[in-house]
Amino acid sequence: MGSAPTMVEQHTSREDILKRFTTIEQLEADTEKLHEMACAVCAETWADRGKKQTPHCKFGEDGVCCRVCSMGPCRITPKASRGICGADEHTIAGRHYLRMATAGAASHSDHAREIAHVLRESSPEGNFKIRDEAKLIRLAKEWNVETEGRDIYDVAHEVADLGLMEFGKPFGTQRFLKRATKERQELWEKEDLAPRAIDREVSTSLHMTHMGNTAEAEALVRQSLKVGLADGYGGSMISTLFSDILFGTPTARSTEGNLGVLEHDMVNLIVHGHDPVFSEMVVLASEEKDLQDLAKKKGAKGINVVGLCCTANEVAMRHGVRMAGNFLQQENVILTGAVEMICVDVQCIFPALGPLTDCYHTKFVTSSPVAKIPRSIYMPFGPDTARENAREIVRMAVDNFENRDLGKVFIPEHKQPASVGYPTEQIIYELDGVTNSHVEERGSYRPAIDSIKSGVLRGAVAIVGCNNPRVRPDFSHIEIMKELIANDILIVATGCAAQAAAKSGLLGKDAKFICGAGLRRVCELVGIPPVLHMGACVDISRMMLLVNEIAGDWGVDVTQLPIVGCAPEWMSEKAVAIANYVVATGIDTYLGIEPQVKGSAQMMELITEGTRKITGAGYIINTDPRELVKSIIDGIERKRAALGI
Ligand code: SF4
Ligand code: MSK
């Protein structure tokens, strides 16, 4: 249980409390100072390249440039309303949108496939073991795998095989669709949105968008929803659940966030990317005594592994590893001059890290054939050799400590305490504590539902996605979160949005002092922060499970819940896949960056209103964060009014 506020806390003004957080201006000042240092060593940053790319190509921004065949490229202009084949702006923008969703679904799902293969290779003596047997057994039973009297690894291998079949099975739809409410399952069936094998939906989407196939915008939007669902209830859900089985289901733990987690007197090793198979091993290797001793022999106090982007989320919530920051912080860590190595696996890795690390002593290690990058050291990483690979990587970082150039070092001091690791199980366990003080009996959604019904909590928002130089980076994340919690709206956060919260201090328990009275009471009763860290991008599948279970317990459809999604600064194709499965689940999704379909009135209508007629939800787009947050609050209040609460 959380503690009541002390007398001091009760009498501290909101202004004083706000001083405990790192402001956007402080974050920007740190970045500016680091960018000045980049200039001094002739290194280029995203800000320099961004200037050279501005203004952006209007055809690309509007989604009306097509190059899917070599008769083109074709652009839609006032004097050319169709491409050479006759495709109009709706077809061109729609095809591009579906291709984005497809690339996103393929990326999450290929990540999942790797993890399924690792589960298949798991063994008691091997590098990868089963850490959450109970979750494995529950999943085995759900999938009708015999568990009685069997070795746990035999069960794991059969579950892994079934998981792998989800990618290519010739018949049937995704197994995890059954985790949605009955209403959703029926709707997906009726609307032909229930995804078949993941690879089938990816292939069909690419087939549909090949020259000379689908030209109807609505059909392209419908397939975007379907391929999105193949990600959300296929690839992402498999990835999340299999990771929990292999590495343990996360639990609440304390850590810190922002560049101040780098240490002057330690070997700083950054893990960046998405796949926990890689980062888990590096973290474990860094704890081995001989490597720690080697670091001391080299003059360091030890090895400081810190995370970046979604890898930060993965290792923070399972090990408490500290988090250096989000997507646009990846160059900043190098610019501190204090990083011996940045090692990466897949997704969201700037190719710029190659030339940038050349300006410093930092070693840049890539590990996956999926993400080979010029001017990196490529060290392939496999399940059989994982421990040796990881030890080699750590040893290389340690050896590099003596090459640090102290004249180039500047570590900004800002860092904030953060509570991380709130998967579905932990959230419901904590929220059940609002009315149930018997720890061992907790596990019901009723108290959470009752808190929303009574208005103590007005609702919940899932804030997800990247940060993006098209807007003021992190500003929207931080300002929207502050405004929502001040209005008694609980936040669950993943990905780089969660990292923005960590950098500012909003994942810390002090954030309760800037909440509305209702949310603050909940936070104090159960000892949670008002922004709950739920994990990486693939863990948005956890959010889908949470809303489906709450809707099921409440006895309403998901569309009726005062729960919405928000991606204020999204940038990646994965975000398009995510937004599609969130909307397909019946959850309104508020976007702060416009999808690149503005040149098609039909597409704009379809993604904001058209999907509502199919799934009951759509996008609400506003590039002004203050207006965006106001529309979120209004949307939640409208849903409450419709429910009569
Ligand atoms: Fe042009 Fe049609 Fe080819 Fe696209 S598919 S490049 S619009 S001819
Ligand atoms: S890492 S997809 S920048 S959230 Fe998942 Fe961050 Fe967006 Fe990559």
Side-chain angles (χ1 to χ4, degrees), residues 273-274 309-310 327 347-348 465-467 494-497 536-537 571-572 574:
H274 284 78
C309 265
C310 275
F327 180 59
Q347 302 169 13
C348 304
C466 331
N467 54 3
T494 57
C496 290
C537 313
M571 64 85 202
S572 77
K574 289 178 291 169

Side-chain angles (χ1 to χ4, degrees), residues 316-346:
M317 64 184 182
R318 292 201 178 90
H319 297 277
V321 168
R322 298 183 299 167
M323 309 178 286
N326 47 6
F327 180 59
L328 289 177
Q329 196 96 298
Q330 60 186 293
E331 292 180 336
N332 285 3
V333 289
I334 314 291
L335 293 169
T336 63
V339 169
E340 276 55 58
M341 178 183 287
I342 181 162
C343 60
V344 303
D345 48 81
V346 291

Side-chain angles (χ1 to χ4, degrees), residues 110 114 344-346 366-373 378-382:
D110 212 35
E114 288 299 320
V344 303
D345 48 81
V346 291
T366 47
S367 63
S368 166
V370 170
K372 283 190 168 182
I373 300 177
Y378 179 56
M379 297 178 70
F381 197 88

Side-chain angles (χ1 to χ4, degrees), residues 357-379:
T357 47
D358 283 350
C359 301
Y360 291 85
H361 77 300
T362 309
K363 291 202 184 299
F364 175 32
V365 171
T366 47
S367 63
S368 166
V370 170
K372 283 190 168 182
I373 300 177
R375 287 146 96 163
S376 67
I377 303 162
Y378 179 56
M379 297 178 70

Side-chain angles (χ1 to χ4, degrees), residues 108-109 112 115 135 139 142-143 166-167 174-180 188 198 228-245 424 537-549 581 585:
H108 276 155
S109 302
I115 292 174
K135 189 165 259 187
L139 181 56
E142 182 180 331
W143 284 2
E166 291 303 283
F167 293 87
Q174 287 298 297
R175 287 171 176 271
F176 281 136
L177 298 182
K178 289 204 170 57
R179 290 196 169 196
W188 293 336
I198 298 162
L229 283 168
D231 174 357
Y233 293 77
S236 282
M237 211 168 273
I238 291 171
S239 169
T240 292
L241 292 177
F242 283 17
S243 293
D244 285 355
I245 289 167
T424 323
C537 313
V538 287
D539 293 324
I540 298 170
S541 58
R542 297 189 199 273
M543 294 174 173
M544 297 306 99
L545 296 178
L546 188 66
V547 287
N548 275 296
E549 285 169 17
Y581 73 69
T585 301

Side-chain angles (χ1 to χ4, degrees), residues 480-627:
I480 289 173
M481 287 188 202
K482 280 184 183 164
E483 187 64 18
L484 291 176
I485 63 175
N487 281 278
D488 290 326
I489 294 169
L490 182 73
I491 293 171
V492 288
T494 57
C496 290
Q499 294 289 318
K503 290 196 294 186
S504 66
L506 290 170
L507 291 188
K509 291 188 177 166
D510 268 359
K512 69 186 175 200
F513 297 118
I514 56 168
C515 292
L519 178 55
R520 177 171 172 171
R521 197 153 81 239
V522 170
C523 292
E524 281 168 350
L525 259 172
V526 293
I528 55 168
V531 180
L532 293 170
H533 174 276
M534 220 172 176
C537 313
V538 287
D539 293 324
I540 298 170
S541 58
R542 297 189 199 273
M543 294 174 173
M544 297 306 99
L545 296 178
L546 188 66
V547 287
N548 275 296
E549 285 169 17
I550 289 177
D553 263 22
W554 192 320
V556 297
D557 187 40
V558 174
T559 50
Q560 294 174 273
L561 296 173
I563 295 178
V564 302
C566 176
E569 303 184 26
W570 71 275
M571 64 85 202
S572 77
E573 290 166 318
K574 289 178 291 169
V576 182
I578 293 166
N580 270 286
Y581 73 69
V582 173
V583 165
T585 301
I587 302 167
D588 278 336
T589 301
Y590 292 74
L591 303 178
I593 304 276
E594 292 164 318
Q596 290 154 333
V597 298
K598 262 191 312 178
S600 159
Q602 263 183 37
M603 278 301 295
M604 285 305 284
E605 198 280 334
L606 277 163
I607 61 174
T608 53
E609 293 305 322
T611 55
R612 267 172 220 290
K613 293 171 203 142
I614 308 169
T615 72
Y619 298 157
I620 296 93
I621 306 164
N622 198 318
T623 53
D624 180 333
R626 292 201 173 82
E627 287 177 18

Side-chain angles (χ1 to χ4, degrees), residues 423-442:
T424 323
E425 297 87 339
Q426 188 79 31
I427 288 182
I428 212 57
Y429 170 83
E430 302 282 3
L431 288 178
D432 198 6
V434 175
T435 55
N436 186 355
S437 58
H438 298 287
V439 168
E440 63 289 350
E441 292 169 12
R442 286 193 203 166

